[in-house]
Amino acid sequence: MYYKEIGLGLGAALVIFLAAKGYDVIPLIFLGAAAGLLYHFLHSKGMVKSLVIKSNEEENNITFADIGGQRAAVEELKEALDFIKHYPQARRLGVRPLKGILLTGPPGTGKTLLAKAAAGYTDAVFIAASGSEFVEMYAGVGAQRIRNLFRLAREKAQQSGKNRAIIFIDEIDVLGGKRGKVNSHLEYDQTLNQLLVEMDGIKGDERVNILVIAATNRADLLDPALLRPGRFDRQVRVDLPDKEGRLEILRLHTRNKPLAPDVDLEAVAKETLGFSGAHLESLANEAAILALREGASAIGQRHFMEAIERVMLGAKLERRPSKEELWRVAVHETGHALVSEWVRPGSVTTLTVTPRGGALGYFRQQHEEDSYLYTQGQLEDRLAVLLAGAVAEEVVLGSRSTGAANDFEQATRVAETMIRAGMSRLGVAGSAELPEETRHELLREILSRQEERVQQYLRDQREKLIRIAQELLAAERLTGERFRELLHGQESAASQQEKWAAGANK
Ligand code: ATP
């Protein structure tokens, strides 16, 4: 600890001793000063320090039960981890070890918590580092740090008598961006290469088995080499929690706080659309602080309500959608879902009005069997589903909005494919030679044909569209089953299919 001071003291004593003996100590003093300056320079720039990666290993007693609102992510992660837990059996069959899991999602949604819980679940030591810690101006430092990190993980595991270690790298996009880009830096590339080398070196039969869990909210920026099989070949999405999820997280963070009888956590969950787990944790804390300031013996509902405002102000949450906007989103997503169910019964899996990424809401459908070829009918169905959001807005609210821009882009791409595949009025025609005007005309024809069909259907279904959108708005999220329950309250899927078939044959 005091090595520096002891060294300095000894050096000074030596110089005095030599001077007393009559030696010329001036060159020595110069040498000492030069060494001191060099040391200081390297240290202040983090060079020496950077060679020793900090071990952020802490008391880790987080379990999956401490993570709320991430049921799907937890399940997916557990599935991957079970495979690691039972690796000896898998190895007998020649299965290669799982080396990396990538958690993707917005900040504060619990990615670090998941990695910690994963360490507890697999009885592994946990070591955390952040992508930015590997980025230095000096060539080779980041790569050295990566080597140290893996070495440290092995050492720590051995010290604690464990045969597994989980290395968690937060913000992996900082060091794992696409290589060779203009904004990329040779040093970053070296660091990333080293990470790949280390991951490739994981054999699964060593004394300590290492699993790398990385987190990012920009998986699209990552170098494809990172996502290749044998590296981060599992991706788990960790999204913002929906209402149910927020309620679970609030319950977790208030379980050791005294709550007044008037507290209605469901109401708090409803008011906190767009909040992440970290925001909710901070909300529970703020509410407790407010209660403390008032000298109250328990936290009341008004404390929570005031805390919501504070967290929103403090966290500079993106502007939240207004009630009108949310209603529009609900109508839009319900439109997609209705048409999807119409063309392919049973296809809707989820629809929500919880913001995610750049979108205010989303609707998910089961993908058709992955195929190389699509028939004209399938492509038309896809167009119908894509256009249904905007059409639903028009049918219910009388106007469209910018929310459909992305849908239209996708729809245009599908229609272009159709022209290239000879499915347009012109039949087989070299699309490259088509005059721009003709191409536009063909696109317009294909799109408006579907648009009209969807318009007709959604006008017929207007009542149902409104009713389901209202349910969606109240619940924030509908599962496919719930959606179908609401839908088939009135009309059977079969009769709808008949209608669609009749429309398609026109
Ligand atoms: P970042 O990407 O910014 O590192 P993260 O996704 O790793 O964020 P965490 O560090 O895991 O987020 O979460 C921060 C804190 O927020 C946690 O310590 C916890 O208190 C709270 N939190 C976040 N998500 C959840 C959740 N799903 N359940 C319970 N608490 C949560």
Side-chain angles (χ1 to χ4, degrees):
M1 295 152 260
Y2 298 111
Y3 297 136
K4 210 162 63 180
E5 287 76 5
I6 295 171
L8 276 176
L10 282 177
L14 183 71
V15 170
I16 294 168
F17 175 74
L18 290 176
K21 282 272 176 194
Y23 287 99
D24 179 10
V25 289
I26 293 189
L28 255 185
I29 293 176
F30 268 113
L31 209 66
L37 269 177
L38 188 67
Y39 177 84
H40 176 74
F41 172 74
L42 292 179
H43 245 234
S44 64
K45 298 284 179 188
M47 177 94 161
V48 170
K49 211 164 35 185
S50 67
L51 295 176
V52 195
I53 188 94
K54 272 198 308 283
S55 142
N56 294 339
E57 195 196 4
E58 332 150 355
E59 204 38 33
N60 176 26
N61 37 25
I62 303 274
T63 68
F64 286 120
D66 298 315
I67 303 171
Q70 295 294 354
R71 208 162 303 151
V74 167
E75 286 309 312
E76 251 181 87
L77 190 58
K78 266 192 182 168
E79 201 181 283
L81 296 172
D82 279 339
F83 164 74
I84 291 178
K85 269 177 108 168
H86 307 298
Y87 186 63
Q89 285 102 302
R91 195 170 64 194
R92 251 178 273 135
L93 293 174
V95 178
R96 68 169 156 70
L98 181 66
K99 300 175 183 179
I101 300 178
L102 184 66
L103 306 176
T104 60
T109 42
K111 295 184 289 297
T112 313
L113 287 184
L114 282 167
K116 283 188 178 168
Y121 187 70
T122 52
D123 190 27
V125 291
F126 178 77
I127 299 218
S130 167
S132 50
E133 284 174 44
F134 296 95
V135 176
E136 289 283 346
M137 288 307 289
Y138 302 99
V141 174
Q144 180 64 30
R145 282 180 150 204
I146 294 272
R147 271 194 291 276
N148 285 344
L149 185 63
F150 278 76
R151 188 175 42 74
L152 191 74
R154 291 194 173 92
E155 278 172 16
K156 287 268 171 201
Q158 275 170 355
Q159 275 164 19
S160 29
K162 298 189 174 179
N163 59 0
R164 278 194 204 94
I166 287 188
I167 296 179
F168 175 65
I169 306 181
D170 207 355
E171 304 175 9
I172 183 106
D173 42 298
V174 176
L175 76 95
K178 295 196 173 81
R179 283 172 295 180
K181 282 261 156 171
V182 191
N183 56 357
S184 120
H185 188 290
L186 192 63
E187 161 62 359
Y188 289 23
D189 294 358
Q190 275 189 15
T191 311
L192 175 55
N193 284 339
Q194 188 59 39
L195 178 63
L196 298 178
V197 167
E198 293 288 345
M199 289 187 77
D200 288 345
I202 300 174
K203 293 282 183 308
D205 52 1
E206 299 162 286
R207 283 236 298 285
V208 176
N209 291 317
I210 294 188
L211 172 70
V212 187
I213 300 188
T216 178
N217 45 13
R218 293 299 308 270
D220 54 316
L221 293 184
L222 293 184
D223 193 284
L226 270 175
L227 307 176
R228 225 177 268 153
R231 282 136 184 194
F232 291 101
D233 47 6
R234 289 286 162 112
Q235 277 198 35
V236 176
R237 260 212 79 85
V238 190
D239 278 323
L240 283 179
D242 55 18
K243 196 170 76 179
E244 282 293 303
R246 294 198 297 273
L247 181 58
E248 252 177 56
I249 298 174
L250 282 169
R251 286 205 178 114
L252 281 172
H253 288 291
T254 49
R255 63 186 162 183
N256 50 12
K257 296 184 172 69
L259 300 184
D262 72 326
V263 169
D264 178 0
L265 289 181
E266 257 181 64
V268 179
K270 203 162 175 206
E271 288 298 315
T272 46
L273 180 86
F275 276 43
S276 68
H279 289 134
L280 294 169
E281 189 270 337
S282 154
L283 163 68
N285 194 45
E286 281 290 334
I289 293 175
L290 288 171
L292 177 78
R293 246 184 236 153
E294 261 184 28
S297 58
I299 311 171
Q301 185 70 0
R302 64 178 192 292
H303 299 131
F304 278 106
M305 288 308 181
E306 200 181 325
I308 295 179
E309 303 297 322
R310 288 186 170 225
V311 172
M312 275 169 58
L313 280 178
K316 294 207 187 64
L317 275 180
E318 280 170 27
R319 190 183 72 79
R320 292 204 300 168
S322 66
K323 290 238 152 39
E324 289 74 35
E325 281 168 324
L326 275 179
W327 171 234
R328 188 175 276 278
V329 175
V331 168
H332 182 106
E333 302 305 331
T334 310
H336 281 308
L338 273 178
V339 172
S340 171
E341 197 64 22
W342 182 34
V343 300
R344 220 153 40 91
S347 60
V348 175
T349 53
T350 329
L351 55 161
T352 81
V353 287
T354 316
R356 177 186 144 173
L360 289 178
Y362 67 94
F363 132 83
R364 208 179 275 161
Q365 62 183 149
Q366 229 163 31
H367 276 290
E368 286 168 277
E369 299 281 306
D370 246 347
S371 43
Y372 292 110
L373 298 173
Y374 293 99
T375 62
Q376 181 164 355
Q378 282 170 323
L379 292 176
E380 282 171 354
D381 284 356
R382 194 177 290 177
L383 283 180
V385 175
L386 283 168
L387 298 174
V391 174
E393 286 183 47
E394 198 178 62
V395 168
V396 176
L397 300 155
S399 65
R400 297 184 173 189
S401 71
T402 49
N406 191 23
D407 295 342
F408 288 162
E409 271 170 34
Q410 284 190 49
T412 314
R413 279 201 296 275
V414 174
E416 271 169 356
T417 311
M418 290 175 72
I419 297 177
R420 278 201 305 279
M423 294 172 184
S424 71
R425 160 174 59 86
L426 285 191
V428 183
S431 62
E433 285 93 60
L434 279 183
E436 195 62 3
E437 224 168 277
T438 321
R439 210 172 60 89
H440 270 296
E441 228 170 77
L442 293 177
L443 278 179
R444 196 58 248 140
E445 266 173 37
I446 294 175
L447 292 173
S448 49
R449 187 157 173 265
Q450 295 311 313
E451 200 176 339
E452 273 164 31
R453 186 173 295 158
V454 169
Q455 242 156 9
Q456 204 177 354
Y457 175 70
L458 288 181
R459 269 196 210 116
D460 285 353
Q461 302 289 324
R462 193 169 181 275
E463 297 287 295
K464 222 181 268 183
L465 174 61
I466 292 177
R467 204 166 41 80
I468 299 179
Q470 280 165 345
E471 290 276 337
L472 172 61
L473 193 62
E476 239 183 68
R477 177 172 183 276
L478 294 180
T479 59
E481 288 79 61
R482 178 74 190 124
F483 170 75
R484 278 181 283 280
E485 260 173 41
L486 292 168
L487 176 65
H488 300 316
Q490 290 167 21
E491 198 179 350
S492 80
S495 68
Q496 293 188 31
Q497 264 248 304
E498 275 165 28
K499 266 194 189 174
W500 168 249
N505 291 335
K506 260 185 216 161

